[in-house]
Amino acid sequence: MRLTKFTDLALRVMMRLAVGDSDLPTTREVAGVMRVPYTHTAKVVSRLQHLGLVEARRGRGGGLTLTAAGRTASVGRLVRELEGVGDVVECEGATPCPLRSACRLRGALRGAQEAFFATLDPLTVEELVESPTRPLLLSLTGHSSAPPG
């Protein structure tokens, strides 16, 4: 299974915000740290806001923060939400597969996809940034250390 760039960036944004340093980063700052275009990051932040995982405040003293739901979000649930739970392979489409009526591959791939998600289910966003990830994220933002949370 391969994650879309959108989901990958969403996870990285969540991880950046989960380090909980004293500064509230802007979308532009997060984009710079993650070395991705601002426009892509803005779309990701908007979706995460819609899901209730990120709060964005405008103006002076504004910035991005994780909500309580964002901190404790299951990575598996988040990936399911962002990726969708469609089939791994396209069996119907414009040129339907001639094996679709008696194929065992589709079911096996669906099971493998669910196993992938199930492996991520017990992991929370906060757990993603435990050491050694937290110090690395903080070094990318120019902070040497910060209290967890």
Side-chain angles (χ1 to χ4, degrees):
M1 169 131 193
R2 184 178 178 103
L3 297 179
T4 61
K5 289 180 181 180
F6 188 88
T7 298
D8 174 48
L9 180 55
L11 291 170
R12 290 190 283 150
V13 167
M14 297 282 288
M15 290 170 67
R16 165 56 190 96
L17 298 178
V19 295
D21 60 2
S22 58
D23 295 335
L24 297 181
T26 65
T27 302
R28 193 167 303 283
E29 289 167 347
V30 171
V33 167
M34 295 300 151
R35 297 182 183 147
V36 294
Y38 166 77
T39 54
H40 293 124
T41 308
K43 288 176 188 175
V44 164
V45 167
S46 177
R47 180 73 188 279
L48 294 173
Q49 272 186 277
H50 179 75
L51 293 173
L53 303 173
V54 170
E55 183 180 312
R57 286 183 246 133
R58 292 183 178 268
R60 191 167 190 213
L64 303 174
T65 57
L66 279 185
T67 64
R71 288 196 176 284
T72 60
S74 159
V75 175
R77 184 186 136 276
L78 181 57
V79 171
R80 276 185 188 88
E81 186 70 38
L82 296 171
E83 290 289 314
V85 289
D87 287 327
V88 175
V89 294
E90 178 65 46
C91 297
E92 302 301 325
T95 309
C97 176
L99 304 176
R100 72 187 178 282
S101 65
C103 183
R104 297 179 63 197
L105 178 61
R106 185 179 197 179
L109 291 173
R110 196 173 290 137
Q113 180 183 36
E114 184 49 40
F116 174 80
F117 290 135
T119 300
L120 297 173
D121 282 339
L123 188 61
T124 66
V125 172
E126 280 215 320
E127 291 171 329
L128 288 178
V129 297
E130 290 175 355
S131 196
T133 306
R134 180 179 301 277
L136 176 60
L137 280 166
L138 288 170
S139 73
L140 293 173
T141 64
H143 294 86
S144 58
S145 65

